[in-house]
Amino acid sequence: IEIGCQEPEYWITAIPELICLSKKEDHGVQRKVIVMMSKLCRNKGCAQIIVENGGLSLLVDMAGHDNGEIALHAITSLSSLATGSDERIQAIFKSGIMVKVPILLDHHKKNIRKETCNALFK
């Protein structure tokens, strides 16, 4: 499904399904879910829907994923969401991401450290 082909309201029902899929122990499925969430976070109409419908918990969980590609997509998504309203930024802080920040800043992959800094200083 292309992100642009559906109205943002469509994703209200899709986000819980994506969260459910992300619980599978299959890194391939998790990667596809987080890539989809990353695209949704860049869509202004969908970003708030993600926050309001449980998507933040998925992104925070995936930010600590042992697969660097999955973690990077999650951090990039959180960074995209951080460009929103003060309420959205507050929701991100309340989501528990700050507990993971020290670990992310000490990650062995430079791009994860870099994206974590970008998200913090937006």
Side-chain angles (χ1 to χ4, degrees), residues 55-72:
L56 271 180
S57 61
L58 167 64
L59 295 174
V60 170
D61 287 347
M62 292 294 182
H65 201 283
D66 60 344
N67 180 298
E69 183 182 8
I70 291 171
L72 184 61

Side-chain angles (χ1 to χ4, degrees), residues 18 22-23 30 38 57 59 70 73 79 88 90 92 97 101 107 112 119 121:
L18 291 172
S22 74
K23 305 290 184 207
Q30 290 174 335
S38 181
S57 61
L59 295 174
I70 291 171
H73 278 292
S79 181
R88 192 182 308 161
Q90 188 65 29
I92 293 169
I97 189 61
V101 168
H107 200 278
I112 290 178
F121 296 106

Side-chain angles (χ1 to χ4, degrees), residues 24-114:
K24 295 186 180 274
E25 294 295 322
D26 181 336
H27 283 208
V29 171
Q30 290 174 335
R31 184 188 164 284
K32 288 176 184 175
V33 167
I34 202 65
V35 166
M36 179 65 74
M37 290 293 285
S38 181
K39 290 178 182 179
L40 288 170
C41 287
R42 290 189 301 261
N43 180 311
K44 290 182 183 181
C46 293
Q48 190 61 32
I49 291 170
I50 289 170
V51 172
E52 294 170 355
N53 291 279
L56 271 180
S57 61
L58 167 64
L59 295 174
V60 170
D61 287 347
M62 292 294 182
H65 201 283
D66 60 344
N67 180 298
E69 183 182 8
I70 291 171
L72 184 61
H73 278 292
I75 297 163
T76 303
S77 300
L78 289 164
S79 181
S80 294
L81 291 176
T83 62
S85 67
D86 290 343
E87 292 81 19
R88 192 182 308 161
I89 294 168
Q90 188 65 29
I92 293 169
F93 280 117
K94 286 182 178 179
S95 71
I97 189 61
M98 296 308 290
V99 173
K100 295 189 181 208
V101 168
I103 296 164
L104 295 170
L105 290 175
D106 196 36
H107 200 278
H108 68 279
K109 291 195 174 200
K110 180 181 176 182
N111 54 353
I112 290 178
R113 294 191 309 268
K114 178 182 169 189

Side-chain angles (χ1 to χ4, degrees), residues 1-16:
I1 296 175
E2 285 295 318
I3 300 298
C5 74
Q6 301 291 338
E7 293 298 318
E9 293 77 23
Y10 169 83
W11 296 104
I12 291 172
T13 58
I15 290 169

